[in-house]
């Protein structure tokens, strides 16, 4: 009985479901002929395209700015650590109300 129900259900679905063209049908082969597959691109015949001199200079300029900012952060952290140990570190920044010479009087040279 289950076999008859399964066959009836399969037949009903095959009648009601839209048909797709098979691999060997004329419609499928016509679609394949209309859309040719592009050939893979071989990268070896083209020369290597690297950054220009201006692009490389701009990259290293940006990197040096970042490195400078990291150096300032490192110096601030060093001054904070030495301050917790009670050591005056001659840390100065642009626009500071006092310069490194104020620390030289305390016994630490810049």
């Amino acid at each position: 009985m289950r076999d008859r129900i399964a066959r009836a259900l399969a037949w009903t679905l095959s009648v009601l479901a839209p048909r797709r063209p098979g691999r060997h049908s004329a419609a499928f082969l016509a679609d394949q002929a209309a859309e040719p597959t592009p050939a893979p691109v071989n990268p070896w015949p083209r020369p290597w395209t690297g950054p220009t001199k201006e692009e490389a200079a701009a990259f290293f300029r940006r990197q040096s700015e970042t490195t400078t900012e990291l150096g300032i952060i490192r110096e601030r952290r060093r001054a904070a650590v030495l301050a917790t140990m009670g050591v005056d570190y001659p840390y100065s920044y642009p626009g500071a109300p006092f310069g490194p010479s104020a620390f030289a009087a305390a016994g630490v040279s810049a």
Side-chain angles (χ1 to χ4, degrees):
M1 183 70 177
R2 286 185 289 177
D3 189 40
R4 286 187 182 181
I5 294 171
R7 286 186 185 181
L9 183 62
W11 180 81
T12 306
L13 289 176
S14 69
V15 170
L16 296 177
R19 292 186 173 251
R20 297 184 306 172
R23 290 186 65 121
H24 299 286
S25 68
F28 180 80
L29 293 176
D31 288 342
Q32 292 298 318
E35 299 174 13
T37 56
V41 178
N42 186 0
W44 293 109
R46 292 180 294 142
W48 179 71
T49 54
T52 63
K53 179 181 177 183
E54 292 79 18
E55 291 171 342
F59 172 76
F60 286 118
R61 197 174 305 113
R62 283 192 311 268
Q63 187 176 10
S64 70
E65 291 170 359
T66 305
T67 305
T68 303
E69 291 172 7
L70 292 176
I72 292 170
I73 292 171
R74 188 179 317 117
E75 188 176 8
R76 287 179 185 164
R77 288 180 179 168
R78 183 178 300 131
V81 168
L82 289 173
T84 59
M85 292 187 288
V87 178
D88 286 331
Y89 180 76
Y91 172 71
S92 182
Y93 53 92
F98 47 86
S101 60
F103 293 100
V108 178
S109 60

